[in-house]
Amino acid sequence: MPAKPVNPDLQKERSTATFNTREFSVLWAGGEERFKEKKALEKMFLEDPALQDDLPISYLSHKELYEHSLRKACIIGEKIRKLRADGEDGVDTYNALLGGSLGAAILKEGNPLALHYVMFVPTIMGQGTMDQQVEWLSKAWDCEIIGTYAQTELGHGTFLRGLETRADYDASTQEFVINTPSLSAYKWWPGGLGHTANHAVVVAQLYTKGEFRGLAPFIVQLRDSDTHRPMPGIDIGDIGTKLGMKGVNNGYLGLKNVRVPLNNMLMKNQQVLPDGTYVAPKNSVLTYGTMMFVRCALIRDTAQSLAKASTIATRYSAVRRQSPIDPNQPEPQIMDHTTQQLKLFPQIAKAIVFKTTGDGIWNMYNVISGEIEQGNLDRLPEMHALSCCLKAICSADAAAGVETCRLSCGGHGYMDCSNFPTIYGMTTAVCTYEGENTVMLLQTARYLVKVYGQALNGEKLVPTVSYISDAINQTKFVNFDGSLRSIVKAFQFVAANKTRIAYEQIELRRKQGHGTEVAANLCGTFLTAAADLHGRAFLAQTAYTELLALSREVSPELAEVLKVVLELYLVDACLNRIGDFLRFIDLTDQDVTKLEVRLENCLKRLRPNAVSLVDSFDLHDRVLDSALGAYDGNVYEHIFESTKKNPLNKEPVNGAFHKYLKPFMKAHL
């Protein structure tokens, strides 16, 4: 129970809801068992005094914040050890502690040990042989060694073929000699690299017998196991302050003639024999499995970001009163303004759709990973294309949605105590790491152009792109009746035509004499537009299929709310791309007006349940960490309490007055 009485406006919103919030909370958590596990984890971690902050971390220096974050990270790590010993360290536990929910409550600016768990360990599991896993995994799981993943360089990021770090095999000693030959070759950005990790998976260009072989991952010891001093040939440190993720200890790494044993190259997919003979992987994309894994996880993280931002903004909008709608009436809750609803409610809907889609993509990844283990790579390109475009779309929409929620809270949303600055900093980072969004869309577009050519040749396409064949066979969209199904079909028709245009533009450039890569560059805007619409068509289809399926499994009251959420999401998504719809589908002015009126109607229908919907996300006050979004709704009291924690307010007169201001004021006397 909250310590203070609940704000009466917020309490009224909850008492008039038409559905049971706990029912949706259980659904959001993934079922009753996971809901109980979530509550147990919150009790274990959030009630530990050692994991609470006396002083808001925004008042700490960069050095203090790192030391503070590492202390907490080690406590979390110790608790994870206990959970592992008890067999309770499932994927959901790591997602909660290292993702955007429980972990953010403990470490607002990120965990310096996160990449150890989400990149270092999975890379060994995914790219190491069984013998290498035996050698390294137990040490990594027990944190006897702390690792990170060093791929991005100062001069190169998403374009992996441009990486400069080089590993030359010396057959005489059966060692690799690793170098960063220039400043731009320095590894840059890996979390925990600065002062935390003592090992890293270093991605380098491999050379054996004087020949270039491609990229390969190497386990490299960075620091002495006892003293933590850098190993010979290692130049390492922290890259400094950033917009967000300030506690992650992102680092730089230079290597000069660093020698690692032959067996330190992870060789599940490719091998180097003792004499330097190179055995190529069956498929080069197998080496990118770790990044695909992380991208799938990030889609669900974006849903958490939107859930947090929309919860804060919606609760605030139920408490804040301003600007009379009727001059003869008192100031209303700002959530009664239709314009405010348009800012908030689509973000709630997107959070639900992104979570639903993220769960589906995660399950799809696990199925396809199993197929890959059996040597079946048929669906790998499809999975890669989907994970790329969905990571790009969901992160971009989430970052924009967080900012919209901040703006909806006026000036108070600009304060640190709102937690919007931190949520935005963490969310917008996803637009860049694990593949910059534009590059991700281009990756998807390559796949789409390829399958469009296959469809023209009459080949059968996999289900997620089968709509392209449908559009080729039926060049005109008929019977747009405004139903949700027709909106989904229209999205697919528009996406297919965007892909058609991209395909035709590339073919045109080829006929003009340009090579494939130059043609793709010249058509970059066509390609990214096609990938964007493909991802949005997939989101629309998933929302339609999954939310209707869920509505058949829950109570009638919750089912009605989910149907409104679905309609709001699809109508809003359609109107946001109305130019593309008008281009390819014969919509009239009346059709568009009907959609706009439906959007307003959806907002009106969702209004009575808005607070209860965000309550159903079941975000602990520590997770939100917001004066504006606390469960009790006592916004102004919480804002004022935050000022009392400000070190500047600990003394009535700051020393700078006597040192600077008073002499300045008296100088003319």
Side-chain angles (χ1 to χ4, degrees):
M1 294 291 292
K4 298 178 181 178
V6 175
N7 177 283
D9 282 331
L10 207 53
Q11 187 56 53
K12 181 182 177 183
E13 295 288 334
R14 290 169 177 145
S15 64
T16 56
T18 64
F19 72 101
N20 186 309
T21 56
R22 190 184 187 281
E23 182 184 7
F24 187 50
S25 294
V26 170
L27 188 70
W28 181 262
E32 188 68 41
E33 185 176 341
R34 288 184 176 177
F35 180 74
K36 290 177 180 177
E37 290 172 356
K38 173 181 176 288
K39 292 297 187 183
L41 280 175
E42 288 178 350
K43 182 176 179 63
M44 180 180 185
F45 284 88
L46 299 184
E47 293 183 8
D48 186 341
L51 293 176
Q52 297 177 12
D53 297 324
D54 296 325
L55 180 71
I57 61 171
S58 56
Y59 296 115
L60 301 179
S61 70
H62 184 59
K63 181 173 180 290
E64 289 170 336
L65 177 59
Y66 168 66
E67 292 165 353
H68 174 81
S69 299
L70 186 59
R71 177 187 66 81
K72 282 187 171 183
C74 289
I75 296 172
I76 293 171
E78 191 57 50
K79 289 180 181 288
I80 289 176
R81 278 179 179 161
K82 184 179 185 304
L83 289 169
R84 283 191 68 234
D86 295 339
E88 298 176 1
D89 63 329
V91 172
D92 292 331
T93 300
Y94 289 102
N95 282 340
L97 289 170
L98 303 171
S101 52
L102 186 57
I106 305 167
L107 289 164
K108 279 183 63 176
E109 290 288 356
N111 186 332
L113 291 179
L115 251 68
H116 173 78
Y117 293 105
V118 302
M119 289 294 285
F120 184 69
V121 171
T123 301
I124 296 172
M125 294 172 67
Q127 299 191 40
T129 65
M130 192 58 66
D131 288 343
Q132 289 175 320
Q133 292 184 43
V134 169
E135 179 180 356
W136 294 104
L137 275 182
S138 62
K139 298 175 186 175
W141 276 122
D142 292 336
C143 293
E144 294 175 23
I145 60 173
I146 302 295
T148 187
Y149 184 84
Q151 176 174 287
T152 299
E153 297 175 355
L154 184 57
H156 285 90
T158 308
F159 180 60
L160 301 184
R161 284 175 290 167
L163 296 180
E164 298 178 69
T165 303
R166 176 169 172 150
D168 291 89
Y169 183 63
D170 182 350
S172 66
T173 61
Q174 294 188 15
E175 293 175 315
F176 295 99
V177 184
I178 305 180
N179 281 282
T180 47
S182 65
L183 180 62
S184 59
Y186 265 55
K187 296 299 183 185
W188 202 267
W189 281 112
L193 176 62
H195 293 274
T196 309
N198 58 13
H199 285 72
V201 170
V202 175
V203 178
Q205 306 285 10
L206 171 64
Y207 287 80
T208 68
K209 296 185 175 182
E211 292 186 36
F212 171 63
R213 307 297 188 180
L215 290 172
F218 303 86
I219 296 181
V220 179
Q221 184 171 354
L222 308 175
R223 294 177 178 272
D224 184 88
S225 300
D226 293 321
T227 66
H228 208 56
R229 294 189 66 81
M231 300 295 287
I234 297 291
D235 183 17
I236 195 169
D238 182 277
I239 66 171
T241 57
K242 309 169 293 293
L243 174 67
M245 305 186 77
K246 299 170 186 175
V248 174
N249 192 217
N250 300 92
Y252 64 81
L253 171 66
L255 303 104
K256 184 174 182 180
N257 296 325
V258 174
R259 288 181 170 266
V260 300
L262 171 63
N263 195 47
N264 279 35
M265 174 181 157
L266 296 176
M267 296 196 198
K268 179 179 181 179
N269 301 315
Q270 57 183 332
Q271 290 85 41
V272 173
L273 304 182
D275 66 353
T277 300
Y278 177 70
V279 182
K282 295 178 182 178
N283 190 314
S284 61
V285 297
L286 287 174
T287 57
Y288 303 142
T290 303
M291 288 181 289
M292 195 162 64
F293 159 80
V294 175
R295 285 169 193 152
C296 290
L298 290 177
I299 296 166
R300 295 202 290 188
D301 285 350
T302 63
Q304 279 291 337
S305 296
L306 278 174
K308 287 194 286 188
S310 60
T311 297
I312 294 168
T314 300
R315 287 177 177 170
Y316 176 78
S317 297
V319 171
R320 179 78 166 184
R321 288 180 172 271
Q322 191 164 295
S323 304
I325 297 171
D326 181 342
N328 299 315
Q329 296 295 322
E331 289 185 299
Q333 297 161 283
I334 60 173
M335 195 159 58
D336 286 336
H337 293 277
T338 303
T339 51
Q340 186 76 349
Q341 295 170 14
L342 185 58
K343 294 175 185 177
L344 301 179
F345 298 173
Q347 313 314 324
I348 299 173
K350 285 177 190 173
I352 294 169
V353 170
F354 290 1
K355 170 69 161 53
T356 303
T357 304
D359 289 345
I361 285 293
W362 184 257
N363 293 335
M364 182 179 174
Y365 169 80
N366 288 324
V367 170
I368 293 177
S369 293
E371 294 174 358
I372 293 170
E373 288 293 328
Q374 301 301 317
N376 180 1
L377 308 180
D378 292 349
R379 298 184 67 194
L380 183 58
E382 176 192 16
M383 184 73 240
H384 173 68
L386 262 181
S387 66
C388 284
C389 72
L390 289 176
K391 180 266 183 190
I393 292 167
C394 293
S395 61
D397 282 9
V402 171
E403 175 66 354
T404 298
C405 287
R406 181 190 72 79
L407 291 170
S408 76
C409 295
H412 293 329
Y414 195 69
M415 298 180 70
D416 257 342
C417 68
S418 74
N419 204 25
F420 279 120
T422 299
I423 296 172
Y424 180 76
M426 298 292 280
T427 307
T428 195
V430 184
C431 296
T432 304
Y433 65 69
E434 298 312 315
E436 190 275 332
N437 279 358
T438 301
V439 179
M440 292 295 93
L441 292 174
L442 289 170
Q443 294 265 321
T444 300
R446 284 177 180 271
Y447 170 76
L448 293 174
V449 168
K450 181 179 179 180
V451 298
Y452 192 87
Q454 293 171 347
L456 288 177
N457 292 329
E459 297 180 38
K460 185 177 180 180
L461 304 184
V462 295
T464 55
V465 288
S466 61
Y467 66 84
I468 291 177
S469 296
D470 297 338
I472 289 173
N473 295 326
Q474 183 176 322
T475 58
K476 185 177 177 63
F477 192 92
V478 293
N479 297 329
F480 182 87
D481 59 8
S483 67
L484 299 187
R485 179 173 175 77
S486 72
I487 292 175
V488 172
K489 290 296 182 183
F491 255 112
Q492 294 174 336
F493 188 79
V494 170
N497 277 281
K498 282 287 193 177
T499 297
R500 171 183 61 79
I501 290 171
Y503 178 90
E504 291 172 350
Q505 289 295 322
I506 286 182
E507 289 302 304
L508 176 63
R509 301 307 196 279
R510 282 174 175 162
K511 289 177 182 176
Q512 293 171 347
H514 298 294
T516 301
E517 296 301 325
V518 172
N521 177 56
L522 292 171
C523 299
T525 56
F526 295 103
L527 290 168
T528 53
D532 181 77
L533 260 298
H534 170 67
R536 295 188 186 281
F538 183 82
L539 284 164
Q541 174 67 60
T542 303
Y544 179 76
T545 304
E546 296 300 323
L547 289 183
L548 284 183
L550 283 175
S551 69
R552 291 189 287 270
E553 299 172 6
V554 300
S555 67
E557 295 80 11
L558 179 55
E560 283 304 308
V561 176
L562 290 177
K563 289 175 184 176
V564 176
V565 167
L566 171 61
E567 184 175 0
L568 171 61
Y569 175 79
L570 289 177
V571 173
D572 181 60
C574 177
L575 287 170
N576 283 334
R577 289 293 183 277
I578 197 63
D580 292 316
F581 276 65
L582 289 168
R583 181 179 182 182
F584 300 113
I585 300 173
D586 292 331
L587 296 179
T588 66
D589 175 62
Q590 188 178 27
D591 290 328
V592 177
T593 300
K594 284 181 179 178
L595 286 169
E596 292 171 334
V597 171
R598 273 179 80 186
L599 178 64
E600 285 192 10
N601 184 255
C602 286
L603 299 175
K604 182 179 179 181
R605 288 156 59 203
L606 199 63
R607 167 67 183 86
N609 288 303
V611 167
S612 291
L613 261 179
V614 297
D615 282 353
S616 299
F617 294 148
D618 194 40
L619 294 166
H620 194 286
D621 273 355
R622 286 276 307 281
V623 172
L624 294 175
D625 196 28
S626 174
L628 278 57
Y631 184 85
D632 63 24
N634 294 305
V635 171
Y636 304 125
E637 293 86 347
H638 289 306
I639 291 176
F640 195 70
E641 285 169 5
S642 73
T643 68
K644 296 302 182 182
K645 298 176 182 178
N646 184 342
L648 273 177
N649 296 331
K650 296 303 180 185
E651 51 188 3
V653 179
N654 184 268
F657 170 76
H658 297 289
K659 191 173 182 179
Y660 304 116
L661 186 57
K662 187 175 181 179
F664 170 72
M665 295 167 65
K666 302 292 185 182
H668 72 288
L669 299 178

